[in-house]
Amino acid sequence: MALLEVDRLQTHFRTPDGVNRAVDGVSFSIEKGETLAVVGESGCGKSVTAMSIMRLIAEPPGKSAGEIRFEGRDLLKLSEKEMKKIRGDDISMIFQEPMTSLNPVLKVGRQIGESLRLHQGLDRGQAEDKAVEMLQLVGIPEPKRRAGEYPHQLSGGMRQRVMIAMALACSPKLLIADEPTTALDVTIQAQILDLMRDLKDRVGAAILIITHDLGVVAEVADRVVVMYAGRKVEEAPVRDLFAKPRHPYTRGLLGAVPKLGSSLEGKTEKLAEIPGIVPSLKTKIEGCVFAGRCPEAEDVCREFAPALEEKAPRHVAACHFSPREQEAAA
Amino acid sequence: MTAPLLEVNDLKMHFPIGGGLFGKLHKFVYAVDGLSFRVERGETLSLVGESGCGKSTVGRAILRLLKPTGGQVVLAGRRIDDMSSGVLRPIRRRVQVVFQDPFSSLNPRIRVRDALAEPINNFGLAKDKAELSRKLNMLMDKVGLPREALGRWPHEFSGGQRQRIGIARALAAEPDLIVCDEAVSALDVSVKAQIVNLLQELQQELGLALLFISHDLAIVEHMTHRVAVMYLGKIAEIGTKRQIFARPRHPYTEALLSAVPKPDPLAKRDRIMLKGDVPSPINPPSGCRFHTRCPYVFDRCRTEEPRLKEVERGHEAACHLNDRTAPENPLLSGGRA
């Protein structure tokens, strides 16, 4: 049994001008110790998916349907009290902006210790000691002194390390990281990605990383889910996805990112662009969600939504025109 | 030899901050501390560096949104850093800007038509209404927006479209130089590619010079001619794209390039990991400003500040290592290319 199974998740929001189908029937699973990346552009529903797993969607206006099974239990059916026991203990989360997700008036040691006291029943002194230990683990120099400081006294990179320390304090089985390095500079981003890889090996947590940066995906992920307009359009092991993307949107995304060094090899051609913009999620989309921007779209794409099919072993894509491996070979 | 379009000599921008009893003790943020470079006509120069290195402040000083505290800014042979705002006004036409956030850089209560007409009227670029409307239509064509969109409000557009409006507004003044301050950073991948292509096309068509301020090295490499790498208010290294990206001669550039995640799961990751954070520009380190994080640091770096020296034609770097030759200089022997 997989650690987490998201099954036909739908998260919709009621807005004054219609229902926003932010996530519209997304399924995927994460095995123990695995890193799954969810990629897509803004508005594709990747963050809402993460929030739905944590049950952080305010209801109303939001509403989640489908099933989210964590170790076999459906999180959507749990009471708020039961969910509180899971949050921060079995599943924890790192957010993009470390400044707004830390409490500015509490010392960081106390913030890290909070989940330990809550979930593991440590007393204040023990929690503080463990917090210092966690700060050491995430590579903060002088952890003892830093534990007694407030978030504003730390730099952006250090705050993100504190967030990671906090998330890992109770040794979660699943860590959800929502754009964990987007707000950081490249040299700091490199440090944090390195730290996450290293900690994953040591703590053994599965990671669900949400990002728009394909470079980050290539660095940390084992498997990748590509989302577009609230739906999953492709899923594959990371090497297969980069080597042989099967959905035109994924191909478009990969073509739109310049690779460092490529223009030096004399390949200064234009960047491949995906024409047009993401469709509104407030109108029900008939047919393929990408049809409006797809260079290969034909009438059938606008009429019938393509099903997610296994095009190659473990490689799933939703496209009418992407051939299956065996057919292509024949 | 004609003068370059833009010449910046020893530019300094120090911001005073309060401190001490009754604010008597003045400290300064040394945001930009002695910067020199040139931009030729039709060329793209990129300023790269991490947040807080002063790259945006340079852009603002050139636009004279800030009055530099030292040094010179020379635009086509005329000093503009000490001009009074009255004298400067007609010259402002020649340098325009595109900002990062297309949502906050357009006035939500002004229609696209009026936003674009403002610079044209302001600088008297249209004789009559017919010419104005011809120019407006042309601008929309240039940035790839439908002409009907002139009557719409900013909120009716997506992020990428708004950035097109921002570019059209900069073009309306018929400038020689556009400062792009993180102009594509806030955009999604697919839209970013559209805007990058648009900027390149416009540059070729109109012979514009661009000062491209960005932290995204892959985009910079794709579209720039020359690059200046900044660290804590100073230029660490400046040169052509090929020189900087293939043969960096400053350890900071080398580390910065190796830190960029490559969108390729099979890529080798021989990363130079920099320790710690960028130091504070209020209290910059002695000697070389990079010495606190430099993997090759030696004694001289802590005391003596390296000057920008030419290491090859058109390529300057500020690092003591470049006084040495091949085996003793890790920048030359390693070679990332």
Side-chain angles (χ1 to χ4, degrees):
Chain A
M1 183 179 62
L3 178 70
L4 180 84
E5 289 172 293
V6 175
D7 193 4
R8 283 161 294 148
L9 175 70
Q10 287 188 309
T11 301
H12 293 179
F13 294 89
R14 199 172 296 157
T15 66
D17 38 323
V19 175
N20 185 333
R21 297 170 177 82
V23 178
D24 208 12
V26 169
S27 308
F28 58 86
S29 64
I30 304 176
E31 302 293 330
K32 285 192 182 74
E34 183 185 41
T35 301
L36 178 76
V38 176
V39 274
E41 298 177 274
S42 29
C44 75
K46 55 194 194 300
S47 288
V48 174
T49 304
M51 303 278 271
S52 304
I53 296 170
M54 284 298 259
R55 285 265 308 270
L56 293 173
I57 300 289
E59 212 176 305
K63 180 88 184 114
S64 294
E67 281 183 21
I68 299 173
R69 290 186 297 273
F70 180 73
E71 298 186 307
R73 289 163 84 196
D74 186 358
L75 298 183
L76 292 178
K77 292 208 175 67
L78 298 185
S79 68
E80 183 56 29
K81 203 173 155 195
E82 289 169 307
M83 194 61 214
K84 270 190 178 157
K85 282 193 187 142
I86 290 179
R87 270 189 220 123
D89 193 18
D90 286 332
I91 308 178
S92 58
M93 188 156 175
I94 309 172
F95 298 91
Q96 172 174 353
E97 197 13 273
M99 194 59 212
T100 50
S101 37
L102 288 170
N103 187 333
V105 299
L106 291 183
K107 293 176 179 167
V108 297
R110 180 144 167 226
Q111 296 191 52
I112 297 169
E114 191 182 325
S115 63
L116 291 161
R117 293 173 67 187
L118 199 68
H119 293 297
Q120 302 192 344
L122 303 188
D123 66 29
R124 200 162 166 167
Q126 289 169 319
E128 293 270 315
D129 291 345
K130 183 81 200 273
V132 174
E133 214 176 283
M134 290 310 298
L135 287 176
Q136 177 128 41
L137 182 74
V138 296
I140 289 188
E142 302 177 73
K144 195 132 199 162
R145 181 169 70 84
R146 291 299 187 181
E149 290 191 337
Y150 294 94
H152 76 267
Q153 293 171 293
L154 307 176
S155 66
M158 281 214 266
R159 280 184 214 133
Q160 200 58 297
R161 283 171 193 264
V162 168
M163 285 294 296
I164 294 173
M166 201 185 286
L168 294 180
C170 292
S171 312
K173 292 172 184 146
L174 175 65
L175 175 66
I176 301 177
D178 188 358
E179 302 270 8
T181 59
T182 306
L184 305 174
D185 278 315
V186 273
T187 59
I188 310 296
Q189 167 171 283
Q191 292 172 6
I192 297 290
L193 289 179
D194 206 48
L195 174 72
M196 285 179 61
R197 261 196 306 264
D198 176 50
L199 289 179
K200 193 189 121 184
D201 295 341
R202 279 203 262 169
V203 182
I207 299 180
L208 172 64
I209 183 169
I210 312 263
T211 181
H212 69 279
D213 186 334
L214 291 161
V216 171
V217 173
E219 296 247 333
V220 299
D222 299 320
R223 273 190 315 126
V224 189
V225 166
V226 182
M227 281 183 73
Y228 183 77
R231 297 190 202 168
K232 176 169 96 176
V233 295
E234 184 161 4
E235 176 180 344
V238 66
R239 288 185 177 197
D240 297 353
L241 188 91
F242 281 85
K244 210 168 180 194
R246 308 254 170 182
H247 196 283
Y249 176 62
T250 316
R251 283 199 288 276
L253 271 188
L254 288 170
V257 187
K259 261 191 198 166
L260 208 56
S262 62
S263 80
L264 297 180
E265 291 154 17
K267 289 184 260 173
T268 43
E269 80 271 31
K270 283 172 66 169
L271 290 177
E273 43 184 88
I274 305 176
I277 54 168
V278 181
S280 162
L281 300 173
K282 284 174 188 155
T283 45
K284 183 108 185 137
I285 300 165
E286 301 291 340
C288 174
V289 277
F290 191 56
R293 301 174 77 187
C294 183
E296 296 154 41
E298 289 181 22
D299 287 343
V300 60
C301 304
R302 284 177 274 272
E303 273 175 53
F304 304 103
L308 279 162
E309 281 183 287
E310 190 158 28
K311 307 284 185 185
R314 300 180 68 214
H315 195 148
V316 175
C319 178
H320 288 305
F321 293 107
S322 170
R324 288 181 191 226
E325 196 85 301
Q326 45 275 50
E327 288 170 19
Chain B
M1 210 175 88
T2 52
L5 178 62
L6 178 79
E7 201 173 348
V8 174
N9 292 322
D10 199 31
L11 181 72
K12 290 191 173 110
M13 194 69 232
H14 299 170
F15 298 100
I17 46 171
L21 194 59
F22 307 119
K24 274 184 181 168
L25 213 163
H26 269 296
K27 282 190 187 169
F28 290 91
V29 178
Y30 300 95
V32 176
D33 204 15
L35 211 68
S36 307
F37 61 82
R38 306 162 150 224
V39 183
E40 304 290 343
R41 285 181 175 77
E43 168 188 69
T44 304
L45 174 72
S46 295
L47 288 180
V48 301
E50 296 176 275
S51 35
C53 73
K55 53 192 193 300
S56 288
T57 308
V58 174
R60 278 156 200 264
I62 288 165
L63 289 158
R64 269 293 303 271
L65 297 175
L66 293 169
K67 198 163 163 47
T69 46
Q72 303 179 340
V73 179
V74 184
L75 183 70
R78 289 178 75 182
R79 272 188 76 173
I80 59 165
D81 54 282
D82 55 356
M83 265 181 193
S84 70
S85 46
V87 183
L88 183 65
R89 201 178 151 89
I91 299 174
R92 281 194 190 273
R93 180 186 69 77
R94 308 186 63 174
V95 188
Q96 293 291 313
V97 61
V98 179
F99 290 106
Q100 169 169 10
D101 183 358
F103 290 83
S104 54
S105 56
L106 290 173
N107 186 333
R109 291 160 189 245
I110 292 185
R111 284 180 201 265
V112 175
R113 176 190 307 281
D114 300 319
L116 297 185
E118 201 172 317
I120 298 178
N121 290 330
N122 184 19
F123 295 116
L125 297 174
K127 291 191 299 290
D128 49 32
K129 278 203 164 151
E131 191 179 359
L132 176 67
S133 113
R134 205 170 61 241
K135 286 205 161 169
L136 290 175
N137 286 335
M138 214 171 64
L139 282 171
M140 294 302 266
D141 296 347
K142 277 217 173 78
V143 299
L145 288 172
R147 292 180 177 188
E148 317 72 274
L150 279 169
R152 289 200 245 149
W153 303 95
H155 76 259
E156 296 176 63
F157 297 91
S158 69
Q161 289 173 321
R162 281 185 216 202
Q163 204 59 306
R164 289 176 191 265
I165 298 170
I167 292 169
R169 188 176 54 179
L171 291 176
E174 299 168 20
D176 301 318
L177 172 71
I178 297 185
V179 177
C180 301
D181 189 355
E182 301 277 11
V184 299
S185 307
L187 303 174
D188 269 319
V189 180
S190 67
V191 180
K192 195 183 280 193
Q194 294 173 7
I195 299 296
V196 166
N197 287 339
L198 174 66
L199 283 171
Q200 284 188 303
E201 283 162 21
L202 289 172
Q203 176 168 49
Q204 272 168 16
E205 190 186 326
L206 307 171
L208 285 169
L210 298 178
L211 183 66
F212 193 77
I213 300 170
S214 178
H215 67 277
D216 187 334
L217 290 162
I219 293 279
V220 164
E221 190 208 272
H222 180 78
M223 67 176 292
T224 201
H225 300 113
R226 287 195 307 131
V227 189
V229 181
M230 285 184 69
Y231 189 75
L232 273 184
K234 286 191 183 280
I235 288 180
E237 183 169 10
I238 184 167
T240 63
K241 164 164 87 179
R242 182 168 287 279
Q243 287 165 341
I244 298 289
F245 284 93
R247 294 186 301 278
R249 295 290 292 270
H250 195 288
Y252 180 59
T253 315
E254 198 186 27
L256 208 55
L257 291 176
S258 80
V260 179
K262 295 181 190 68
D264 176 5
L266 300 171
K268 276 198 314 219
R269 308 203 196 291
D270 44 355
R271 180 163 288 159
I272 303 161
M273 201 61 82
L274 286 184
K275 287 191 271 319
D277 299 303
V278 183
S280 155
I282 299 170
N283 218 338
S286 62
C288 174
R289 294 190 168 195
F290 185 57
H291 87 251
T292 54
R293 301 174 80 196
C294 182
Y296 311 120
V297 64
F298 58 104
D299 288 342
R300 190 176 160 200
C301 307
R302 296 190 183 90
T303 51
E304 187 190 331
E305 180 161 356
R307 296 192 336 177
L308 264 181
K309 277 187 214 152
E310 191 159 77
V311 289
E312 57 187 313
R313 202 184 142 78
H315 186 182
E316 292 172 59
C319 180
H320 291 314
L321 285 173
N322 289 319
D323 293 346
R324 305 179 185 180
T325 45
E328 280 81 37
N329 185 345
L331 294 171
L332 287 174
S333 40
R336 292 177 36 80

